[in-house]
Amino acid sequence: MKERMERKVFIWILFFAGCLCALVALIFWNVTSGSMSVSGKEILGILTGQVKEGAAYQILWNIRLPRICAAFFLGGALAVSGFLLQTFFSNPIAGPYVLGISSGAKLVVAITMILFLSKGFRVSSFGMMAAAFLGSIIAMAFILLVSLRVQKMSLLIVCGIMIGYICSAVTELLVTFADDSNIVNLHHWSMGSLSGMSWDKVKFMTFMVLLTCIVTFFLSKPIGAYQLGEAYARNMGVNVRLLRILLILLSSLLSACVTAFAGPISFVGIAVPHLVKLMVRTAKPILLIPGCFLCGAIVTLLCDGIARTLFAPTEVSISSVTAVLLAPVVILMMIRKGAAKR
Amino acid sequence: MDQRIGLKTENLSIGYGKKVLLSGVELEVRPGAVLTLIGPNGSGKSTLLKTFTRQLKSLGGKVLFLEFDKNPDGGESAIQNMDEMSGGEIAKMLSMVMTERPTPELMTCREVVGTGRYPYVGPMGILGAEDWQKVDEAMKSVSADEVADKSFYEISDGQRQRVMLARALCQEPKVLVLDEPTSYLDMRYKLDILENIRSLSKKLGIAVVMSLHELDLAMKVSDRIACVDGTCISKIGTPEEIFSGDYVQKLYGIEQETFHPLTGEIFLRSKKEFPKVFVIGGAGVGLPVYYCLQREEIPFAAGILFENDVEMGAARALASRVISVPAFHPMDDKALEEAKKVLDQCEQAICPLQEFGPLNEANRALRDYARAKGILCEDN
């Protein structure tokens, strides 16, 4: 028994060490790759603050580094949000995208964009964030209402997908009657992209994501109890109602944050928790939450790197990369799980 | 056990939403005692148990934790009302095993049992060495230690139920609530689980409330039985009090003969038409013949039986006609004549009975009578 325990701990240490290595490698790759090559010496100079001007400084400090930070935090946020939703619905394919949260966010963002731009205002990043957040909460609230009425959680996923379709339809409708200049922006946004990050945005998202993730981490204990089901969680003294509200709030906050800054990014939220569970062979939230965050960051950095460099200088939308890379992973995982249960 | 705590309800009303299902529930479970709820499906057993575990809000009245003195007949004191306690406080008092088994991903049985320590561990939910020791002890006490490192998915339903029982024990409850702990289990695990519940309740002084569908087992495992009939607790008492007369048959709305309250046997309904076959049985040898005829839907008569014969329950339930004599009395000519009359109208007679003595001499005569008539089926 003890040996098994030690082996497990060894696997966990190995996992986190591997994550850190991958993270460092990916950051290095993302810093160096691009249309302009930057030498290692220059990078070191810029990072230590000795070089403060020149094209290399501009590209690295104002474009690549904020983008890397955004990929790191938003990717982590997506994965943690997916983990929370999967725990809450005890459904393996729950995620911000599948449950229509992203579509809800998109609809409200579209309305805001078109409304504000037609009156001549520019929508600030905070405004976008607020709109996306509002959209996710509305979609989530709807899902929650349905979840109170139906017992079968699989029905909920169907509802989420339907909500997604409705929101998309309304968005399309709005787009049809909007000015062309507005549509370009919206279209660009809805593709999902990590380009155009500034340090201001990064600061804001870092604050939001870190705060939410830390709160989530400290909810490890009740989340762990919730994995045995609501009845047992309550019997263990968990305030189930409060936990539900918190889980929804936190996951919505996280996915709203991502949608606001980078547009909808699919599949990271669904696939990463499965990948992490497969690797660490445990369901302990205390390990899974940081694990998901790190892995989400890694996957997003990888996908963003590919999106940038695959057809350089043209950029591919990040969602197409995540979908192609991660959708097969989700399918494989479902098949494996189906086989294991029997 | 330093504290001996049991559960008591006072004028409790329960139900879903605002609709009251059971009202005026007055129950008491003492430490070290087992209270079993019986009653038909949908009568409110689970609803009552769910109210104890706070999955449902009570619609009136109180659920109390009572401290009992060491003397089992002694008084009660230090009342704590469940509605006034926090979730954490209740968790240290009451644990449960529900009918629906949880489906945790990637958890070993030991980890599942470990969740029982939840109310006792710190804010990050990490179990200390002492907690793990309690986990192992709990698993050992229900002989689930051999599956400790297996995944909760890998093991059988019976073992899973053992693990869930260990989980509930390791929560160190004063009151244990179990909803149909024997469902989905085979005979061996049914006995195993109930024996564990019974002995652990006595050993640790835990008050047990559970629901059971197997009346024969309920009779044997319970200290007290409460009958739930869909509107109230209709009767509470010792198993002997409940399983006498025809109360249980009425509770479940079944015909009186189809359940034998003394043995707990249940019988399928048979065709009670004019008998075609006469079975001469006694002391159990006739039972397979009765069951066979019942399956083939052939109406039959049985006789001559003593009133206290083991076959009597089955004969009453299945045979169209039973000829019997009072227990420990010789079978007299009157009974024989009556049996002959019935036999005359039958197309066939079967005599599985091989042993005859001074008390059942009439049965030998009956067999010879049938043989003489040429309707006796010789090779069963």
Side-chain angles (χ1 to χ4, degrees):
Chain A
M1 202 127 57
K2 240 189 178 157
E3 271 170 32
R4 277 206 170 195
M5 207 60 208
E6 273 165 15
R7 229 188 78 201
K8 267 191 177 169
V9 174
F10 178 68
I11 291 175
W12 298 335
I13 292 170
L14 204 71
F15 168 75
F16 282 107
C19 276
L20 286 180
C21 290
L23 207 58
V24 171
L26 279 168
I27 289 173
F28 182 75
W29 178 53
N30 269 299
V31 167
T32 50
S33 68
S35 47
M36 186 182 159
S37 61
V38 186
S39 73
K41 205 176 153 194
E42 277 174 302
I43 293 169
L44 213 69
I46 291 161
L47 285 182
T48 50
Q50 282 164 348
V51 183
K52 284 211 183 264
E53 51 207 18
Y57 174 80
Q58 287 297 333
I59 287 178
L60 219 67
W61 189 254
N62 287 337
I63 296 176
R64 287 189 194 165
L65 281 179
R67 187 169 183 157
I68 289 168
C69 287
F72 179 81
F73 285 110
L74 297 184
L78 271 175
V80 172
S81 161
F83 171 73
L84 289 179
L85 287 171
Q86 283 172 15
T87 309
F88 175 62
F89 290 113
S90 30
N91 190 308
I93 66 160
Y97 206 72
V98 171
L99 285 179
I101 294 173
S102 303
S103 307
K106 184 181 167 187
L107 175 62
V108 179
V109 166
I111 293 172
T112 330
M113 261 190 178
I114 290 165
L115 216 69
F116 272 69
L117 284 174
S118 66
K119 287 190 178 164
F121 293 115
R122 244 193 103 250
V123 186
S124 67
S125 70
F126 183 78
M128 289 266 280
M129 166 106 188
F133 184 63
L134 190 71
S136 343
I137 290 287
I138 291 171
M140 195 75 196
F142 196 82
I143 294 275
L144 202 69
L145 264 175
V146 178
S147 82
L148 292 177
R149 293 192 161 255
V150 298
Q151 290 296 315
K152 260 195 179 163
M153 287 295 165
S154 54
L155 215 67
L156 221 55
I157 302 290
V158 176
C159 277
I161 292 170
M162 294 304 139
I163 290 170
Y165 279 128
I166 294 171
C167 289
S168 301
V170 177
T171 313
E172 293 296 314
L173 199 76
L174 284 174
V175 164
T176 319
F177 294 106
D179 295 339
D180 284 351
S181 59
N182 296 345
I183 299 167
V184 174
N185 258 334
L186 182 69
H187 185 68
H188 184 71
W189 179 86
S190 67
M191 295 275 284
S193 169
L194 289 166
S195 62
M197 288 296 161
S198 68
W199 281 115
D200 280 342
K201 285 184 185 175
V202 169
K203 266 182 210 158
F204 190 71
M205 75 177 70
T206 308
F207 173 73
M208 287 293 291
V209 170
L210 276 187
L211 187 76
T212 335
C213 284
I214 288 169
V215 174
T216 309
F217 184 71
F218 281 102
L219 285 176
S220 297
K221 189 184 167 189
I223 291 172
Y226 200 85
Q227 285 173 328
L228 277 196
E230 209 180 303
Y232 282 102
R234 187 172 280 127
N235 181 234
M236 287 181 242
V238 178
N239 188 337
V240 172
R241 186 183 286 261
L242 185 70
L243 180 68
R244 275 192 152 186
I245 293 169
L246 276 176
L247 279 181
I248 291 164
L249 258 175
L250 289 170
S251 58
S252 298
L253 215 67
L254 287 170
S255 54
C257 203
V258 176
T259 327
F261 286 112
I265 299 177
S266 56
F267 282 108
V268 177
I270 305 176
V272 169
H274 288 293
L275 274 173
V276 177
K277 276 181 205 165
L278 195 75
M279 283 189 279
V280 297
R281 312 284 324 140
T282 181
K284 285 193 176 106
I286 200 163
L287 288 164
L288 281 183
I289 292 167
C292 282
F293 188 90
L294 278 178
C295 254
I298 289 168
V299 167
T300 314
L301 276 170
L302 178 72
C303 291
D304 189 43
I306 294 172
R308 278 196 312 128
T309 53
L310 192 62
F311 297 111
T314 313
E315 218 174 87
V316 191
S317 92
I318 186 161
S319 277
S320 24
V321 181
T322 52
V324 169
L325 274 187
L326 297 175
V329 172
V330 176
I331 296 170
L332 264 179
M333 221 82 77
M334 296 295 141
I335 294 170
R336 266 185 73 119
K337 216 174 240 168
K341 262 184 204 171
R342 244 165 266 140
Chain B
M1 277 289 137
D2 41 351
Q3 265 182 316
R4 293 174 54 82
I5 292 177
L7 192 75
K8 187 176 182 179
T9 66
E10 277 177 8
N11 195 22
L12 183 70
S13 303
I14 58 155
Y16 286 96
K18 282 187 177 139
K19 208 175 146 218
V20 176
L21 184 58
L22 301 179
S23 57
V25 176
E26 302 268 352
L27 287 176
E28 185 184 273
V29 206
R30 284 172 174 272
V34 177
L35 173 77
T36 306
L37 307 176
I38 62 167
N41 285 338
S43 61
K45 300 186 297 293
S46 295
T47 317
L48 185 54
L49 295 180
K50 278 181 184 160
T51 310
F52 290 156
T53 59
R54 292 191 323 139
Q55 288 175 66
L56 291 173
K57 275 212 169 85
S58 68
L59 303 177
K62 291 174 191 162
V63 182
L64 306 166
F65 289 109
L66 294 186
E67 198 170 323
F68 288 82
D69 291 336
K70 295 241 171 184
N71 177 4
D73 299 320
E76 50 203 45
S77 59
I79 295 171
Q80 263 183 303
N81 191 335
M82 201 192 240
D83 289 335
E84 291 158 13
M85 294 164 75
S86 75
E89 282 172 330
I90 295 175
K92 289 182 187 179
M93 287 287 214
L94 184 146
S95 68
M96 63 173 198
V97 178
M98 287 283 119
T99 327
E100 307 87 28
R101 313 261 198 278
T103 50
E105 267 184 302
L106 292 172
M107 274 173 105
T108 66
C109 295
R110 198 157 171 262
E111 282 168 346
V112 172
V113 176
T115 61
R117 297 303 299 164
Y118 183 95
Y120 301 94
V121 295
M124 291 316 291
I126 297 167
L127 274 70
E130 204 178 305
D131 293 309
W132 282 121
Q133 199 187 329
K134 284 192 168 142
V135 168
D136 290 337
E137 274 168 24
M139 295 196 88
K140 198 162 259 174
S141 70
V142 298
S143 2
D145 43 342
E146 72 231 40
V147 295
D149 285 319
K150 285 205 175 140
S151 152
F152 194 66
Y153 275 124
E154 275 172 24
I155 59 175
S156 73
D157 257 331
Q159 284 169 325
R160 231 170 268 172
Q161 192 69 329
R162 278 182 177 173
V163 170
M164 291 316 288
L165 184 60
R167 195 205 78 85
L169 286 174
C170 140
Q171 207 170 321
E172 301 187 321
K174 316 288 187 218
V175 179
L176 179 60
V177 175
L178 304 106
D179 193 3
E180 289 168 35
T182 52
S183 54
Y184 311 122
L185 303 188
D186 69 16
M187 219 183 327
R188 174 182 151 219
Y189 279 110
K190 268 182 189 166
L191 292 174
D192 177 89
I193 285 287
L194 290 179
E195 274 163 11
N196 275 329
I197 291 169
R198 176 99 204 140
S199 66
L200 290 166
S201 150
K202 287 274 169 295
K203 198 173 106 195
L204 305 172
I206 298 173
V208 176
V209 195
M210 65 176 166
S211 62
L212 272 185
H213 276 306
E214 294 89 346
L215 299 180
D216 49 335
L217 295 173
M219 196 188 300
K220 285 148 201 165
V221 75
S222 323
D223 292 300
R224 289 172 81 74
I225 288 178
C227 303
V228 185
D229 75 349
T231 53
C232 62
I233 303 286
S234 53
K235 194 171 179 182
I236 308 174
T238 61
E240 295 73 32
E241 285 162 4
I242 301 292
F243 291 99
S244 59
D246 56 0
Y247 187 75
V248 174
Q249 289 94 315
K250 272 188 196 149
L251 176 67
Y252 282 89
I254 54 173
E255 280 166 38
Q256 209 197 321
E257 298 86 26
T258 46
F259 176 74
H260 197 280
L262 261 181
T263 58
E265 273 178 294
I266 31 181
F267 304 104
L268 292 182
R269 220 180 294 188
S270 65
K271 266 198 174 167
K272 293 205 173 170
E273 289 162 6
F274 200 77
K276 282 185 183 159
V277 178
F278 195 101
V279 183
I280 306 166
V285 293
L287 287 175
V289 183
Y290 300 158
Y291 295 143
C292 181
L293 290 170
Q294 179 254 322
R295 281 197 300 273
E296 300 293 332
E297 299 194 337
I298 301 169
F300 67 94
I304 306 168
L305 297 171
F306 297 110
E307 300 268 335
N308 68 341
D309 197 289
V310 283
E311 287 179 19
M312 205 54 204
R316 281 252 167 79
L318 304 176
S320 314
R321 183 79 200 271
V322 183
I323 296 114
S324 61
V325 292
F328 310 118
H329 283 264
M331 293 173 184
D332 51 11
D333 289 341
K334 205 180 116 211
L336 181 62
E337 285 312 311
E338 195 189 344
K340 278 183 179 165
K341 232 181 253 169
V342 177
L343 199 143
D344 281 338
Q345 292 157 342
C346 290
E347 296 161 15
Q348 246 184 349
I350 300 170
C351 181
L353 194 65
Q354 300 295 333
E355 285 169 65
F356 302 96
L359 279 183
N360 71 346
E361 204 49 53
N363 272 339
R364 191 204 300 269
L366 198 59
R367 183 192 62 177
D368 295 341
Y369 178 73
R371 189 175 283 155
K373 278 192 71 166
I375 59 166
L376 184 70
C377 184
E378 295 283 358
D379 49 272
N380 297 323

